[in-house]
Amino acid sequence: MTLLRRLAHRSVRELVRLSCLLALTGLAIMAYSVLSGKPLPVILAMSLGHLVGGASFACFLLAVCIDGIRRDPARQGKSSEPGMPKSL
Amino acid sequence: MHLEWTGIVALSAAVAAAVILVVYLLRRPPLGLHVKLWLLLGLGVLPFITAASSTASGMHRTTERSFCGSCHVMGGHYRDASDPASQSLAARHSRNPFFGKESCYVCHADYGMFGYALTKLGGLRHVYKYYLGGYDHMTLEQAEREIHLVKPYDNRNCRQCHTTTAEDWRRVPDHVSLEAELGRNEVSCASAGCHGYAHPFTKSAPRDAAPAPAKTPVTSVGGHR
């Protein structure tokens, strides 16, 4: 099972929560680099901080997309057709 | 601790984003349009501002002498450059307000259109050497003996300020006779036979072999061409 499928199976609420936690981690790394100004924190902020922040935003976008698809009545109608599994 | 305005922007945006996210995590409201817009602010816009301004702040921080001196292997260089009584080339230039707190960067940054980016890429090699190349285990004495510039110091960096077309510069016979060699980097401005080493304490040669540095400290860029 790919990561995307795994994420899609998780609820939107969980994804948003994960996104918030990742964002808080990334923000903490970046804020610490500004306050500390030492080489390692500055490099970590520019690499790991940006990576975690990007992952957080990607999770949020994914959650919004999944939420949008779930709320889309046309797709809901399709997925409720007889013979089609509900998970689709 | 001195914060640049970019650092203040980064911290303000980070705090604002953190407040939004913590409130969301504590209250857990239903994910309506209103909440999504708040989350877009807290997860997208404000973190983007934090990332951009903390990067700008971090890049600026990397140009300061105290940043270079924060690795122990550069301790000797840092102390000498910051010493108001030192007569080394590095210290005399560091007292010049044009170089100021950024004297390491001003002298060692590559000259040219891509100088900034190339210098920063070169800085990553320093990080690698420090954390993975064994520099962090070296004693200061060992580091001063063993660590050298990866390539000969480029005279063009000196010539950013000390133009070779100025009459004062051309009045010195050695300058004119060595002009071609200086241009090809075959002779360094900061060598024992010329203006002396920038960091003389790192050289094994006896100090009296190098010519005495100028008696009058450089007070301005234009005053020592």
Side-chain angles (χ1 to χ4, degrees):
Chain A
M1 189 179 270
T2 62
L3 180 68
L4 198 66
R5 276 176 187 272
R6 272 189 204 176
L7 285 173
H9 274 77
R10 296 208 172 242
S11 73
V12 171
R13 190 167 282 277
E14 258 183 273
L15 265 175
V16 175
R17 239 182 75 198
L18 175 68
S19 170
C20 289
L21 293 173
L22 284 174
L24 285 171
T25 310
L27 288 168
I29 294 171
M30 288 188 266
Y32 179 66
S33 82
V34 173
L35 291 172
S36 140
K38 287 182 178 167
L40 206 54
V42 167
I43 291 159
L44 275 178
M46 288 184 199
S47 51
L48 189 66
H50 289 193
L51 201 71
V52 171
S56 150
F57 191 60
C59 281
F60 174 65
L61 286 182
L62 187 62
V64 169
C65 287
I66 292 172
D67 192 47
I69 291 166
R70 280 185 182 174
R71 285 172 192 236
D72 186 358
R75 277 185 176 263
Q76 274 182 352
K78 271 184 191 173
S79 67
S80 60
E81 278 175 20
M84 293 288 281
K86 277 188 178 176
S87 59
L88 291 175
Chain B
M1 183 182 59
H2 173 70
L3 280 180
E4 295 286 321
W5 70 269
T6 46
I8 294 168
V9 169
L11 287 179
S12 309
V15 168
V19 168
I20 292 171
L21 300 180
V22 169
V23 167
Y24 173 80
L25 288 172
L26 292 177
R27 290 193 179 173
R28 299 186 182 187
L31 206 61
L33 180 66
H34 189 67
V35 173
K36 277 182 191 164
L37 287 175
W38 272 107
L39 285 175
L40 182 66
L41 194 67
L43 290 168
V45 179
L46 290 171
F48 177 79
I49 293 171
T50 305
S53 49
S54 71
T55 299
S57 169
M59 292 298 256
H60 183 261
R61 179 81 183 95
T62 60
T63 63
E64 291 178 4
R65 187 164 67 240
S66 56
F67 184 87
C68 305
S70 63
C71 290
H72 79 280
V73 290
M74 286 291 116
H77 293 73
Y78 175 72
R79 276 190 294 279
D80 177 63
S82 310
D83 180 2
S86 173
Q87 290 299 308
S88 71
L89 209 56
R92 279 151 51 210
H93 280 82
S94 295
R95 287 196 285 275
N96 185 322
F98 177 74
F99 294 78
K101 286 195 300 181
E102 298 168 3
S103 55
C104 307
Y105 178 77
V106 175
C107 288
H108 285 278
D110 286 335
Y111 184 58
M113 187 187 280
F114 303 111
Y116 187 80
L118 291 174
T119 305
K120 293 296 162 206
L121 280 174
L124 284 178
R125 190 180 53 242
H126 295 174
V127 175
Y128 170 79
K129 289 275 190 187
Y130 191 81
Y131 289 106
L132 300 170
Y135 282 10
D136 61 334
H137 300 306
M138 279 186 181
T139 63
L140 187 55
E141 292 73 30
Q142 197 184 357
E144 285 172 0
R145 207 171 46 244
E146 292 182 19
I147 296 177
H148 299 288
L149 285 177
V150 71
K151 58 182 179 183
Y153 188 79
D154 195 340
N155 288 333
R156 282 187 303 174
N157 289 358
C158 304
R159 289 160 63 184
Q160 290 179 70
C161 302
H162 302 281
T163 171
T164 53
T165 53
E167 205 175 300
D168 283 354
W169 191 87
R170 302 196 70 82
R171 201 177 292 147
V172 178
D174 285 348
H175 283 169
V176 179
S177 63
L178 290 169
E179 195 173 5
E181 287 88 342
L182 288 167
R184 290 194 299 266
N185 267 337
E186 289 170 3
V187 173
S188 172
C189 307
S191 60
C194 297
H195 294 275
Y197 296 120
H199 309 286
F201 60 92
T202 60
K203 307 299 175 201
S204 54
R207 285 201 177 193
D208 56 2
K215 282 175 186 166
T216 315
V218 181
T219 50
S220 70
V221 174
H224 188 66
R225 285 191 171 169

